[in-house]
């Protein structure tokens, strides 16, 4: 699982700070999460192949999280993309994009499929044989979702010498990886765990931005490996966090601790602060394993 | 008159190429012309004070000319702008911007005044005591206007010694700058041209992008000091220029020559070309005084 931070600052893009956008590589998928202005240039800088992006998840309709979307959709068209593109985001996102395509008389030559969200409960919005994606309802000034990306339980691994020694027909190997006991060539039942090893632990990533401190999300994200949680403010500006429905670094850490997260990544910093290290310092008073998102940084898990 | 090129490439923003946007300083105005994605960051790089921009002119609703507008409008709001902002552009531009403000529940705290255009004839769209702005109807795949910025005839300048020697009361000095003859303290009529010099020649700038070769614009832009004319293609791709309703460098030069322009600036290059010098070479076979727009370049006239 690999997470590339294209932008992690709040409010407005600046010469050296990009607004929110991330790429999550998980089980051969390349999910784009949020798409602030300039995301397409950031994707180029990261040398991410545009065609590998098939699913874009937009948390909410504040500009610093989606003003780059229409440009990306348009650039895909100019590059004669043929691959389907799925966009998940709040109700209204389809109207914004299609209105601009209509007025530019520039429709995509690829299939553009909108999945508009309006539920206040966590729901499964994407699933294939390896990955599931759920919404995480957040509490911000407008309708907002985080997203939970979960690998499914993988197949068990054969202990190859043990399988051979047990004289099992290869036709049964797949059943073994699925966890079943099987009969060997001599008619004897072979216990699955004697010839297989457990699958690797499935990985999971939760993206939570933008939101005020919201304990309701804890059951949804419990035991997730990696949590990105916004921390727009430091404690000294906790009153602004309340007023603008954002979180402080300490609040993000408290969510991580209560949800038994392994690694917390902070981001969505207000540009008022000179040194983002202070976010880490404050969060660490509550939760130990804190990392700081930075534009251009890549995390591997 | 000063022209800053924020971006001058066609189609899509890239790591080193920005899409169309320019700032024209003329008679203390700072006019923003087109606003591709990333324009707000380019404005910061150029250290252009956001508050000095009061008028934005959008040529047409293709993304490489206006996808940065909504972000700029939104950033102005976040920076608690109070100054009115006038936006001139094709019909539909108001709906695009207001739909996004509505869905973000983020209305501007400053007055946002849209001037939607749909005329096929050149019209005066801005005027104060020093400057006029006219549309230049262009021929592209969607409704498109160029813009002609013209300084008005300025006041005549006093020859200060001559005025004093002529024994004219200072109360008449303003009338003199306006070109009138006046009576001096001895009751003698003083011919204006004996005590004043002509005003500086008013400057003018025509912005023409995007358009195919269109001779109809010549009477509108005749004798303009500086013409920016798009040249998306070189001659070898003239067939693409026809197909996509763009111009070649040679066609831009032909317009400049026929309209008796002083300086031609080329831009809106397709990113297919490695070396933009070739645009100059081709244009110079038709018209001598050719300059190349480049991102970050400033021209003073």
């Amino acid at each position: 699982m690999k997470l590339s931070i294209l932008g992690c600052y709040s409010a407005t893009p600046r010469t050296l700070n990009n607004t929110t956008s991330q790429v999550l590589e998980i089980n051969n998928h390349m999910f784009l999460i949020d798409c602030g202005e300039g995301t397409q240039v950031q994707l180029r800088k990261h040398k991410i192949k545009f065609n590998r992006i098939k699913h874009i998840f937009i948390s909410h309709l504040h500009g610093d999280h989606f003003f780059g979307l229409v440009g990306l959709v348009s650039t895909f068209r100019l590059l004669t993309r043929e691959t389907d593109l799925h966009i998940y985001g709040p109700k209204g996102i389809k109207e914004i994009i299609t209105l601009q395509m209509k007025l530019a008389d520039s429709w995509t030559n690829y299939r553009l499929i909108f999945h508009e969200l309006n539920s206040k409960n966590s729901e499964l919005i994407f699933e294939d044989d390896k990955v599931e994606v759920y919404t995480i309802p957040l509490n911000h000034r407008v309708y907002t979702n985080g997203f939970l990306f979960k690998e499914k339980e993988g197949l068990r691994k054969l202990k190859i010498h043990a399988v051979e020694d047990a004289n099992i027909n290869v036709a049964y190997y797949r059943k073994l990886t699925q966890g079943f006991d099987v009969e060997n060539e001599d008619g004897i039942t072979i216990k699955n765990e004697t010839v297989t090893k457990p699958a690797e632990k499935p990985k999971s990533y939760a993206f939570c931005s933008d939101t005020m401190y919201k304990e309701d999300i804890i059951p949804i994200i419990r035991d997730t490996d990696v949590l990105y949680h916004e921390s727009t403010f430091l404690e000294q500006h906790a009153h602004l966090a309340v007023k603008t429905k954002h979180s402080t670094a300490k609040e993000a850490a408290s969510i991580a601790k209560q949800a038994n997260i392994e690694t917390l990544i902070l981001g969505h910093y207000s540009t008022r602060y000179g040194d983002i290290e202070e976010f880490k310092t404050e969060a660490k008073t509550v939760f130990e394993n804190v990392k700081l998102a930075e534009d251009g940084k890549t995390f591997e898990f």
Side-chain angles (χ1 to χ4, degrees), chain A:
Chain A
M1 191 168 72
K2 184 172 156 188
L3 180 70
S4 302
I5 307 293
L6 306 183
C8 66
Y9 285 82
S10 67
T12 72
R14 286 159 185 262
T15 314
L16 300 172
N17 305 131
N18 293 286
T19 49
T20 304
S21 188
Q22 315 184 341
V23 174
L24 179 71
E25 275 187 74
I26 184 170
N27 239 316
N28 271 324
H29 283 291
M30 212 151 206
F31 294 127
L32 182 66
I33 308 167
D34 279 351
C35 191
E37 185 175 346
T39 293
Q40 60 176 306
V41 175
Q42 287 295 97
L43 286 169
R44 285 188 193 270
K45 282 189 190 159
H46 276 258
K47 301 197 189 309
I48 290 169
K49 289 215 176 76
F50 286 176
N51 252 329
R52 286 204 56 203
I53 296 171
K54 292 170 186 161
H55 302 271
I56 301 178
F57 299 86
I58 301 294
S59 61
H60 65 300
L61 296 182
H62 281 162
D64 54 331
H65 294 257
F66 91 102
F67 278 166
L69 180 62
V70 67
L72 191 61
V73 165
S74 164
T75 291
F76 285 167
R77 180 183 60 77
L78 288 164
L79 299 176
T80 65
R81 175 188 180 108
E82 292 181 354
T83 318
D84 291 357
L85 180 68
H86 294 264
I87 295 175
Y88 307 78
K91 195 163 167 43
I93 198 165
K94 181 177 178 178
E95 189 184 354
I96 291 173
I97 302 299
T98 51
L99 173 64
Q100 294 181 80
M101 293 197 296
K102 187 185 81 179
L103 287 166
D105 195 17
S106 303
W107 301 96
T108 59
N109 32 334
Y110 57 92
R111 283 223 308 155
L112 188 57
I113 303 126
F114 288 94
H115 305 265
E116 292 200 314
L117 308 173
N118 58 6
S119 171
K120 286 182 177 164
N121 301 314
S122 176
E123 50 182 359
L124 178 68
I125 55 173
F126 171 80
E127 181 177 20
D128 68 3
D129 55 338
K130 289 185 174 158
V131 179
E132 291 172 335
V133 184
Y134 294 86
T135 56
I136 308 168
L138 300 176
N139 188 353
H140 192 43
R141 302 194 302 279
V142 291
Y143 176 73
T144 304
N145 287 296
F147 300 103
L148 174 62
F149 302 84
K150 288 175 81 165
E151 284 184 345
K152 288 184 175 178
E153 194 76 49
L155 296 175
R156 293 183 67 87
K157 296 209 184 307
L158 300 178
K159 298 179 195 168
I160 197 67
H161 290 301
V163 173
E164 283 169 5
D165 292 348
N167 197 22
I168 300 168
N169 190 303
V170 291
Y172 287 110
Y173 283 10
R174 186 157 171 82
K175 277 201 99 165
L176 284 174
T177 63
Q178 292 167 337
F180 294 101
D181 299 339
V182 298
E183 256 187 23
N184 74 357
E185 300 280 29
D186 312 314
I188 300 162
T189 296
I190 305 292
K191 282 281 181 199
N192 189 288
E193 59 270 27
T194 62
V195 290
T196 69
K197 292 180 289 190
E200 269 184 55
K201 185 178 169 288
K203 294 225 158 56
S204 54
Y205 172 66
F207 169 87
C208 292
S209 183
D210 295 355
T211 188
M212 63 183 294
Y213 178 77
K214 190 187 185 201
E215 291 184 353
D216 302 2
I217 69 174
I218 294 167
I220 304 170
I221 64 171
R222 192 179 304 285
D223 299 331
T224 295
D225 295 304
V226 183
L227 167 65
Y228 174 94
H229 194 291
E230 74 127 291
S231 59
T232 309
F233 296 106
L234 295 172
E235 275 307 297
Q236 63 182 117
H237 295 113
H239 59 291
L240 291 180
V242 171
K243 191 178 157 200
T244 59
K245 293 204 173 182
H246 282 298
S247 303
T248 65
K250 230 173 171 172
E251 287 172 334
S254 170
I255 295 288
K257 187 179 181 186
Q258 293 173 74
N260 191 37
I261 300 298
E262 205 170 288
T263 305
L264 170 65
I265 301 176
L266 297 178
H268 202 265
Y269 320 110
S270 162
T271 48
R272 80 187 58 218
Y273 303 110
D275 181 10
I276 60 171
E277 280 297 320
E278 288 181 55
F279 287 89
K280 194 172 182 173
T281 308
E282 283 197 6
K284 268 182 175 281
T285 62
V286 175
F287 181 82
E288 182 49 34
N289 191 11
V290 180
K291 295 186 189 300
L292 292 176
E294 281 182 61
D295 294 5
K297 202 167 177 176
T298 293
F299 298 94
E300 300 218 32
F301 300 100

